[in-house]
């Protein structure tokens, strides 16, 4: 039985770019995101909201060369075209290099100098304001596949990095 009270949610937008660190494409595999809010005395994580509410759906946006964005979220892959076929996965077609090992579960594949924005919603338990969330957030970790090897990438949060 659910409780219909308010839930503090913070939207995070992560810009991911392939700046030439690897020899090929960078792949973001499917993963659950969380923000580490641990202290010396207590381990705590803010988890991604994933209760099926369309408002809090994770989105992956491709950044075009003119600065505009194109949405290729997971929900668009469930559509059916007029001829009865399913469209290509949102991260395939022009994003997928021919020699890539991209699977349907991967969020996106970025060739050299391509960028994507991952927009996700975090349940900021106990944070009544964004300032409190910024003060408690320490880091988050994402998985990236570079040159065929999946590696964790730590993203630190510093209070001075946030602007109003």
């Amino acid at each position: 039985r659910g409780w219909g009270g308010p839930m503090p949610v913070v939207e995070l937008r992560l810009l991911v770019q392939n700046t030439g660190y690897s020899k090929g494409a960078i792949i973001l595999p499917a993963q659950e995101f969380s923000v580490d809010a641990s202290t010396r005395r207590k381990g705590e994580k803010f988890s991604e909201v994933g209760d099926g509410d369309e408002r809090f759906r994770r989105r992956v946006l491709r950044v075009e060369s003119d600065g505009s964005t194109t949405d290729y979220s997971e929900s668009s892959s469930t559509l059916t075209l007029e001829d009865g076929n399913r469209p290509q996965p949102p991260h395939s077609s022009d994003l997928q290099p021919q020699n890539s090992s991209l699977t349907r579960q991967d969020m996106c594949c970025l060739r050299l100098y391509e960028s994507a924005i991952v927009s996700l919603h975090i349940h900021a338990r106990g944070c009544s304001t964004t300032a409190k969330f910024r003060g408690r957030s320490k880091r988050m970790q994402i998985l990236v596949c570079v040159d065929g090897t999946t590696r964790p990438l730590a993203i630190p949060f510093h209070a001075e990095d946030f602007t109003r």
Side-chain angles (χ1 to χ4, degrees):
R1 184 174 134 200
W3 181 69
M7 180 172 74
V9 174
V10 174
E11 180 184 12
L12 291 180
R13 293 181 185 170
L14 307 172
L15 175 65
V16 182
Q17 297 176 309
N18 183 349
T19 58
Y21 176 77
S22 69
K23 296 176 186 158
I26 293 177
I27 298 172
L28 261 65
Q31 57 194 288
E32 289 298 318
F33 293 98
S34 64
V35 174
D36 182 17
S38 298
T39 63
R40 289 184 191 187
R41 299 176 188 236
K42 181 175 150 185
E44 187 177 8
K45 283 196 310 189
F46 297 138
S47 299
E48 183 176 8
V49 177
D51 61 359
D53 191 333
E54 188 65 22
R55 296 172 299 165
F56 302 129
R57 163 179 76 86
R58 180 189 309 159
R59 296 179 354 150
V60 180
L61 305 169
R62 177 182 178 177
V63 180
E64 304 292 343
S65 58
D66 63 357
S68 64
T69 57
T70 306
D71 188 356
Y72 38 152
S73 62
E74 296 167 352
S75 66
S76 65
S77 64
T78 61
L79 299 174
T80 303
L81 300 175
E82 289 178 10
D83 60 3
N85 294 322
R86 288 182 177 247
Q88 291 293 322
H91 48 267
S92 64
S93 67
D94 62 330
L95 267 186
Q96 182 176 354
Q98 298 303 321
N99 59 357
S100 155
S101 59
L102 189 69
T103 68
R104 189 154 182 90
Q105 290 79 32
D106 295 329
M107 293 191 323
C108 67
C109 177
L110 302 173
R111 292 182 296 198
L112 187 60
Y113 302 119
E114 288 184 332
S115 303
I117 297 171
V118 179
S119 173
L120 55 115
H121 295 84
I122 300 291
H123 179 194
R125 196 174 41 259
C127 297
S128 54
T129 64
T130 56
K132 193 166 185 179
F133 174 80
R134 292 190 314 248
R136 291 179 62 190
S137 301
K138 306 295 184 250
R139 73 191 66 78
M140 87 182 290
Q141 185 170 296
I142 65 171
L143 297 176
V144 235
C145 185
V146 179
D147 295 331
T149 304
T150 302
R151 303 173 181 161
L153 177 66
I155 303 171
F157 292 141
H158 303 288
E160 61 271 4
D161 289 344
F162 294 104
T163 58
R164 295 194 181 259

